[in-house]
Amino acid sequence: MAEQRLATVLNVNDDDANRYLVNRILEMSGYHVLEAATGMAALLMAEKHRPDVIVLDVKLPDISGYEVCARLRSNASTASIAVMHTSATFVTPDKKVQGLEGGADAYLTQPYEPSELIATVRSLLRLRHAEQQARLRTDQLIEMDRRKDEFLAMLGHELRNPLAAIMTSIGILERKGTADTREARMHGIIQRQTHHLARLVDDLLDVSRITRGKVELRKEPLDLVESFQQVLSILRPRVEGRGLKLEVRLPRTPLWMEADATRLEQVFTNLLDNAAKYTDQGTVTVDLFQEGVDGDAQAVLRVKDTGIGIPPEKLPGVFDLFSQVDTSLERSRGGLGIGLTLVRTLVRMHGGSVEATSEGYGAGSEFVVKLPLLPPERVPRLAGANVVDTRRARRILVVEDNADARQSMRDLLELWGHQVAVAQDGVQGVALALEHAPDLALVNIGLPGVDGYQVAAALRAGVGQHLRLVALTGHDEPGAYEQALKAGFDLHLTKPVRPADLDRVLSNL
């Protein structure tokens, strides 16, 4: 075989006659042979020549073959070389175990037949070839995974920019209103489908990072009731638009927990959207309430539907990635099969649990989420007491290179009564800020030339600390939030920014 003739074997033995005999056997079988008489010489030759196999006698004049093998394995450059121990004396089982446990791949005791030596070398070469192929494949998969992450990050940026412009424009149309019923209906369709598309983009980009633990939660005290109501205001038209009845029972008092508001909204959105998607007619029922008291208190969210249900064989895997109840060719339900995976992962990251139950096809399904609540001594006491009127006119600077996103943001802010200056790049943005001294600057991170981080540093140095800086980005990579704060931003928002979220930012200035 060609790989055998080209293979190199290092023969390590201090007995000249024995070493010569083994050399001849290997050479006659087509191998290139190197030799060494001591353990230290063997280590040097292994480092220099990187043989495919080392035939290593256990008893050497300087250090034992066991020690040589251990040093080979501890060195990254020689760790993958196949090692076969040999011994000219009777070897007890415990010595073989010591050699194999120490890193050897095979162990032969002399006298042995030449055919046994060659067969063992061939076996080790096959093993080494398989390991090399596996290592190569692993390296290829790692590189493919890296490129996939880069592609998804760029995809997110490219998709979120047009979505940002569309979503902001929808906000303007909603504020202006229309007396035309058909036009109002079209506005509603555009709004629902844009929000749906934005959620699919977020889920697609998040699932890889979240399932690998590459997302850090930005936790702060949060009222679950208020957070769920915000989701409900967006999803109610979508649910009822499918001809379904939506029954919601919420507590009259807040339910406070430490959570990432964006991620919890993802959980709520996926659960409600999932219930509506798999229900052709009937009712989606939502109950949010508290169980337990004080330190053991937890919030319980139940989302129940009268939909197609989940068959028993699919219930255990309903939270698995790409798992879907509807596997028919027409795929009339839509979706990517990743929403419930995100729900389970995000709930667990918040210290909670989620489970699904169903009596089978046609019997509907129920999802129950449990989340830990803050103890009474940690509940915010002044939350919501100092809300600023967003109608107060402010000087706002928008630095955005995407023309549609820049114009739609300007139109929305001016519709709200603010004075707005816009810049298409960082240099122009810094110049306008120094000239007009805005109260707030909305700065896109991915600007050409001078990026958003550099703009933030220049604005902090030139305008001062009173200026409120908000970072806008289509790249939602791990560490982006911390990097934005370090650069001088006060807030970090991921595109597309919903008008309601922008309104909240202005309220909390």
Side-chain angles (χ1 to χ4, degrees), residues 305-311 358-365:
D305 63 66
T306 58
I308 65 173
I310 306 171
S358 176
E359 296 299 323
Y361 266 130
S365 57

Side-chain angles (χ1 to χ4, degrees), residues 253-298:
T253 56
L255 296 177
W256 290 97
M257 73 170 291
E258 194 170 65
D260 185 318
T262 301
R263 298 305 180 185
L264 273 192
E265 286 184 10
Q266 247 180 313
V267 170
F268 299 152
T269 299
N270 274 303
L271 287 175
L272 274 178
D273 190 64
N274 189 74
K277 182 171 62 177
Y278 287 100
T279 303
D280 295 323
Q281 59 182 359
T283 305
V284 175
T285 305
V286 178
D287 286 292
L288 179 62
F289 56 92
Q290 176 177 330
E291 276 187 352
V293 294
D294 298 335
D296 295 326
Q298 59 182 355

Side-chain angles (χ1 to χ4, degrees), residues 460-471:
R460 283 288 179 233
V463 180
Q465 297 301 316
H466 68 277
L467 171 65
R468 291 293 175 261
L469 289 176
V470 178

Side-chain angles (χ1 to χ4, degrees), residues 95-253:
K95 292 297 183 182
K96 284 189 175 183
V97 170
Q98 179 184 351
L100 295 172
E101 290 287 351
D105 301 290
Y107 205 123
L108 288 183
T109 303
Q110 294 180 351
Y112 47 73
E113 293 295 326
S115 58
E116 185 180 7
L117 172 66
I118 297 303
T120 305
V121 169
R122 287 176 178 172
S123 175
L124 294 179
L125 285 172
R126 288 194 298 270
L127 176 63
R128 186 174 187 273
H129 178 72
E131 289 176 345
Q132 288 175 335
Q133 292 300 310
R135 192 176 299 111
L136 177 62
R137 181 59 179 162
T138 299
D139 291 341
Q140 290 173 339
L141 289 174
I142 292 173
E143 176 63 16
M144 289 171 61
D145 191 57
R146 184 189 65 79
R147 291 184 180 182
K148 180 259 298 177
D149 287 342
E150 289 181 352
F151 169 75
L152 286 177
M154 185 57 63
L155 175 66
H157 183 265
E158 294 302 318
L159 290 176
R160 280 168 166 157
N161 269 330
L163 278 173
I166 296 171
M167 195 167 288
T168 307
S169 299
I170 292 171
I172 297 172
L173 294 176
E174 286 178 339
R175 296 274 175 159
K176 294 180 66 176
T178 178
D180 188 317
T181 304
R182 182 178 297 176
E183 185 177 341
R185 187 166 60 248
M186 294 302 104
H187 289 173
I189 292 172
I190 296 171
Q191 180 201 46
R192 290 191 296 274
Q193 295 303 319
T194 303
H195 280 294
H196 182 58
L197 180 58
R199 187 181 64 80
L200 288 177
V201 170
D202 285 339
D203 284 355
L204 177 63
L205 298 176
D206 281 341
V207 68
S208 177
R209 296 198 301 269
I210 290 177
T211 53
R212 289 182 297 163
K214 290 192 173 183
V215 170
E216 295 182 3
L217 299 180
R218 305 172 195 170
K219 290 186 176 182
E220 58 185 4
L222 170 78
D223 177 15
L224 288 176
V225 179
E226 180 183 355
S227 178
F228 189 81
Q229 286 174 332
Q230 292 172 1
V231 172
L232 201 61
S233 66
I234 297 173
L235 291 187
R236 183 182 287 276
R238 188 185 308 170
V239 175
E240 295 178 344
R242 293 175 60 90
L244 304 175
K245 184 179 179 182
L246 180 61
E247 295 182 354
V248 181
R249 291 183 284 271
L250 302 178
R252 294 180 179 275
T253 56

Side-chain angles (χ1 to χ4, degrees), residues 19 29 31 57 62 65 98 111 125 157 189 197 206 209 218 290 309 333 375 399 415 461 478 483 490:
R19 190 172 66 250
S29 296
Y31 298 107
D57 190 40
D62 48 355
Q98 179 184 351
L125 285 172
H157 183 265
I189 292 172
L197 180 58
D206 281 341
R209 296 198 301 269
R218 305 172 195 170
Q290 176 177 330
R333 309 285 170 180
V399 187
L415 184 64
Q483 187 176 357
D490 298 293

